Amino acid sequence: MLSSPGGHPQTTGHLISAADLSRDDAVLILDTAEEMARVADRPIKKLPTLRGRTVVNLFFEDSTRTRISFEAAEKRLSADVINFTAKGSSVSKGESLKDTAQTLEAMGVDAVVIRHGASGAPFRLATSGWIDAVVINAGDGTHQHPTQALLDAFTMRRRLLGRDAGLGQDLAGRRITLVGDVLHSRVARSNVDLLHTLGAEVTLVAPPTLLPVGVETWPCEVSYDLDRVLSKSDAVMMLRVQRERMNAAFFPTEREYSRRYGLDGDRMAKMPGHALVMHPGPMVRGMEITADVADSDRCTAIEQVTNGVSIRMAVLYLLLGGNEPAVTHTRPTADEAGRAATTDFEEK
């Protein structure tokens, strides 16, 4: 989807699912994100890469974290940004996805970042012929959220391998545990797909009622006992119980769920010293994670938000960028790269 000879970016399609990424695609994105992260360390946090390009954030579901992250990434790459939310728009008056897409096509947009409550909507938009633009899935129903999986993998690689030592590397042999509401979680599906591609060993931990039908065919292990897997985990990701997607009782009480599947200080103490605690957000403190764990230096929740901007910059760059690689082979220092990019931006 993304890779090309020599690691140069190439506009070859869309980002719909983490399962579509090869190992080389994924590593290229992670390495490019490291370069983009250097931009955030500079006084001028902008590159001219997408100047003159128009990106629409098309959000049919409420979102704060993801929408703002994409908008920050787009603006740091100098794109023209249009934010479209379903509430208060023509969609709330009954307009279809097709009509909305054709309206955007008439405006000449270059990329559409879409979040939709229906699984498969981004794929439909990308393959329908309604619009001639790059489509990036920002979350569809309970299906996929590929940029979340990428930023999670980026965070793991940085913490477990090191910022520079991780370049060009995957997560082979690392043991990652995802805990909680897997049934309703597009984050879990995307992470299982991507982490498997990157060579990690993934275990899902959840009550039987919160595991999807067919989970036994996923490339991961399944356990109902959180305490049994903690001591063998390099990273433990806690998933939010998504009550807004539930239409039945999936567990007896919140207290019972928290007792069996929540992460508290005692459980964190059973994890290896280097192991991370992760959460895609938003966190429900006292439910799947206690306050002392959420606020500990082992918890990467805030770091994941920061890394999300770098990952989304990398994806936009690789799908829409120019002909120069973001990952240079001579690897200038951060200061040299910053001065060069700033000069280029000022000249343009």
Side-chain angles (χ1 to χ4, degrees), residues 194-259:
L194 184 66
L195 292 170
H196 173 70
T197 298
L198 290 172
E201 300 169 16
V202 184
T203 301
L204 299 177
V205 180
T209 52
L210 288 176
L211 288 169
V213 174
V215 71
E216 64 277 0
T217 65
W218 293 17
C220 62
E221 298 294 321
V222 175
S223 174
Y224 307 120
D225 186 350
L226 177 57
D227 294 302
R228 188 175 64 82
V229 300
L230 286 175
S231 63
K232 299 181 290 184
S233 301
D234 294 302
V236 177
M237 182 181 298
M238 307 307 296
L239 303 170
R240 180 175 65 88
V241 173
Q242 300 189 37
R243 291 192 174 281
E244 71 276 12
R245 299 185 189 276
M246 293 182 178
N247 54 11
F250 289 85
F251 48 85
T253 64
E254 289 187 11
R255 184 175 179 180
E256 176 70 9
Y257 177 90
S258 184
R259 186 179 69 81

Side-chain angles (χ1 to χ4, degrees), residues 39 42-48 334-348:
V39 176
R42 302 201 327 251
I44 299 175
K45 296 177 173 59
K46 271 207 169 187
L47 295 174
D335 287 343
E336 289 170 344
R339 285 197 297 273
T342 303
T343 302
D344 183 32
F345 182 68
E346 288 171 347
E347 286 175 352
K348 292 187 178 185

